[in-house]
Amino acid sequence: MKPRFAPFVHTLAALVFCAALGCAHAPSPTPSPPVVVLEGARVFDGEAVSGPMTVVLEGERIRAVGPRGSLQVPAGARVVDYSGKTIIPGLIAAHSHVGNVSGVDTGRRFYTRENITRQLARYVEYGVTTVNSLGLNPPLFYSLRRELNAHAGGADLYGAGPGIGAPLGTPPARGMGLEDDQVARPETPEAARAAVQDMARQGADMVKLWVDSLGGSVPKLSPDIYRAAIDEAHRQGLRVFAHIHDLEDARALVDAGVDVLGHGVRNAPVDDAFVQAMKARGVWYIATINLDEANYVYAEHPSWMDEPFFRAAVDPALQRRFDDSTWQRETLAGPGAEKARKAVKLNLENLRTLHQAGVRIGFGTDSGAMPQRIPGFAEHRELELMTQAGLTPAQALRAATRDSAELLGLKDRGAVAPGLVADLVVLDADPTQDIRNTRRIHAVWRRGVQVTRLAEPLDGQTVRP
């Protein structure tokens, strides 16, 4: 009878023999991940900019961060001199959409691997390294999320699957070219629970609810439906985001246990009771100010529309629309422009009130849902609008990085710190001094790989080599 460990001895002997002869089947050592040292830039730590610093990247992760000269540069490391630059974490868009737009059109037919891959690459070019597609996602979303997040070329994709809306309600399927599989529309609490269970089973990261009648023009998701969806989502370990417009709906959803309000309140000033309920329950608030501004601002043609940073983000067909004087005139003369201006004003005022009260603020724009909500550019414009609401540039940046990572439950990103994913944006100037300096992008690093290096920032200002 052979000893039971004999096969192990024979295997070990074979491996030694193969190693001695250089056998093709002998196991080879795993190569060490590349080490890159970013030297001399100032670094935003979530509160302020300090430095100059040394940031060491090892593979996809940040290995070390310290004052310049305090860290030993590993032998053989690639060293990149970023003296005079500023490094911030990659921006995290907690409310966006993918695969819904092409040029000036929207529709289910644009939800393709090719279109979404292009959109995620565009986000990265603009320093947005994580995108949360908040609803309107058909079944293809789940496989794309797994497939695309394994590569460093585009932004990481998270999302809410299809989301839940009222039958014949928001989002309006006919007006947006949607199909049934892009929005679940349960008619009973039991059907709502089943829809949430299906989303959880397939791999949704959260659940999206639309609770908005569009000014009374369509049916609104009823409280018994959304309460069942919220309860079931929490049973499944998922957070719930809610699309709202009106204060009364926001108040009811907070009472029902919603985790995130995915738009700002835009029909009335928020009151103290609502503010205190938000704080007591720890509900997050994403204002998406750019959503309404985009309905009129491009017809006004502000000077920044002539800057390369903006024009590079705009699809040629959409740019032709923006340049059309008839479209400009009709847009500004229509009732929608004035309504949108009032919504922006209220949104700014309510964000100011909630922020000053200490409500948790996240970052999002609804980019990608409609043609005029421009992926990449919208995020930088939103940062500027948030400062108009009273946030300091540092507070706006924190909302768009560390706080939005916490909102999404992502513990591996949102800061320039050891152990986190190396998603970094290198800027030519300090954004805490002027938030528009986020547009002066010199380079973007995605999971430790440099994916963008611009000879000059997109706004055309000069950068030292």
Side-chain angles (χ1 to χ4, degrees):
M1 181 175 175
K2 293 182 180 179
R4 60 181 179 177
F5 53 81
F8 170 76
V9 174
H10 294 159
T11 301
L12 179 62
L15 289 173
V16 171
F17 180 75
C18 278
L21 296 181
C23 211
H25 297 290
S28 57
T30 302
S32 300
V35 177
V36 180
V37 178
L38 310 182
E39 193 69 89
R42 303 178 74 205
V43 172
F44 176 68
D45 65 1
E47 302 292 342
V49 168
S50 59
M53 307 288 280
T54 298
V55 181
V56 181
L57 314 182
E58 185 172 16
E60 295 186 349
R61 301 276 171 164
I62 300 170
R63 172 170 155 179
V65 181
R68 190 172 197 172
S70 67
L71 302 177
Q72 183 175 0
V73 176
R78 174 190 170 198
V79 179
V80 182
D81 184 5
Y82 280 147
S83 298
K85 310 296 183 193
T86 300
I87 295 176
I88 64 172
L91 301 178
I92 298 173
H95 186 164
S96 292
H97 295 275
V98 298
N100 201 51
V101 172
S102 180
V104 296
D105 298 314
T106 61
R108 168 67 172 83
R109 65 191 184 279
F110 302 127
Y111 207 101
T112 66
R113 177 177 282 97
E114 294 73 19
N115 192 31
I116 291 170
T117 299
R118 284 193 297 270
Q119 291 173 349
L120 294 175
R122 172 55 54 86
Y123 275 113
V124 165
E125 290 174 1
Y126 278 74
V128 182
T129 54
T130 302
V131 171
N132 186 40
S133 183
L134 201 50
L136 305 180
N137 299 298
L140 177 60
F141 162 77
Y142 299 105
S143 58
L144 284 182
R145 181 198 180 288
R146 293 188 294 269
E147 172 191 333
L148 298 179
N149 288 10
H151 303 284
D156 269 346
L157 177 64
Y158 297 90
I164 295 176
L168 303 178
T170 306
R174 181 172 297 178
M176 297 182 67
L178 304 179
E179 291 186 359
D180 290 341
D181 63 4
Q182 279 179 293
V183 182
R185 300 187 186 273
E187 298 186 13
T188 65
E190 293 73 22
R193 290 183 182 276
V196 171
Q197 291 166 6
D198 182 63
M199 294 174 202
R201 187 165 47 248
Q202 294 196 65
D205 301 290
M206 70 279 301
V207 171
K208 165 76 174 285
L209 305 173
W210 280 272
V211 184
D212 183 2
S213 67
L214 300 181
S217 63
V218 298
K220 184 189 298 183
L221 194 66
S222 63
D224 62 328
I225 301 291
Y226 67 65
R227 287 195 192 105
I230 292 171
D231 179 69
E232 187 61 40
H234 290 166
R235 289 173 182 268
Q236 300 292 331
L238 299 177
R239 292 182 177 183
V240 181
F241 288 58
H243 164 116
I244 57 94
H245 182 280
D246 295 350
L247 177 59
E248 53 269 33
D249 293 326
R251 194 193 315 277
L253 283 157
V254 170
D255 290 343
V258 79
D259 301 290
V260 185
L261 293 180
H263 294 293
V265 172
R266 287 160 284 160
N267 74 317
V270 295
D271 54 36
D272 187 62
F274 175 73
V275 172
Q276 295 309 315
M278 292 280 289
K279 290 183 65 177
R281 296 176 180 269
V283 180
W284 290 87
Y285 188 85
I286 304 176
T288 64
I289 308 162
N290 181 254
L291 178 153
D292 290 294
E293 188 195 53
N295 290 336
Y296 64 86
V297 72
Y298 300 125
E300 295 179 341
H301 201 97
S303 60
W304 46 257
M305 286 184 67
D306 296 321
E307 296 172 357
F309 185 86
F310 173 77
R311 295 185 73 90
V314 183
D315 182 273
L318 185 59
Q319 186 64 61
R320 288 192 292 273
R321 170 180 287 181
F322 291 162
D323 292 338
D324 187 317
S325 59
T326 300
W327 174 84
Q328 294 172 5
R329 183 173 60 255
E330 291 177 350
T331 297
L332 294 177
E338 186 57 29
K339 179 181 177 182
R341 287 192 187 94
K342 291 179 179 178
V344 168
K345 184 175 184 293
L346 261 176
N347 208 351
L348 289 168
E349 292 173 355
N350 286 335
L351 177 57
R352 182 187 301 272
T353 298
L354 291 160
H355 169 67
Q356 290 177 347
V359 171
R360 305 167 95 182
I361 304 300
F363 179 71
T365 65
D366 208 42
S367 57
M370 300 292 286
Q372 70 272 24
R373 301 170 196 171
I374 302 168
F377 175 79
E379 282 65 37
H380 292 269
R381 178 60 181 166
E382 187 75 13
L383 287 170
E384 186 176 6
L385 290 167
M386 291 172 78
T387 64
Q388 292 179 17
L391 282 74
T392 67
Q395 289 168 339
L397 282 172
R398 174 173 169 168
T401 54
R402 187 167 71 185
D403 290 351
S404 283
E406 181 182 352
L407 181 156
L408 294 174
L410 301 175
K411 299 180 179 180
D412 63 349
R413 66 197 66 201
V416 185
L420 301 189
V421 172
D423 287 351
L424 308 169
V425 185
V426 183
L427 304 173
D428 186 51
D430 181 355
T432 65
Q433 298 302 310
D434 181 347
I435 196 62
R436 280 179 56 93
N437 285 338
T438 62
R439 306 180 187 197
R440 301 184 64 184
I441 297 174
H442 178 77
V444 177
W445 291 74
R446 173 79 177 86
R447 291 188 177 272
V449 176
Q450 184 177 312
V451 295
T452 304
R453 186 189 186 283
L454 305 174
E456 60 181 10
L458 286 173
D459 66 1
Q461 299 183 52
T462 304
V463 179
R464 296 194 317 274

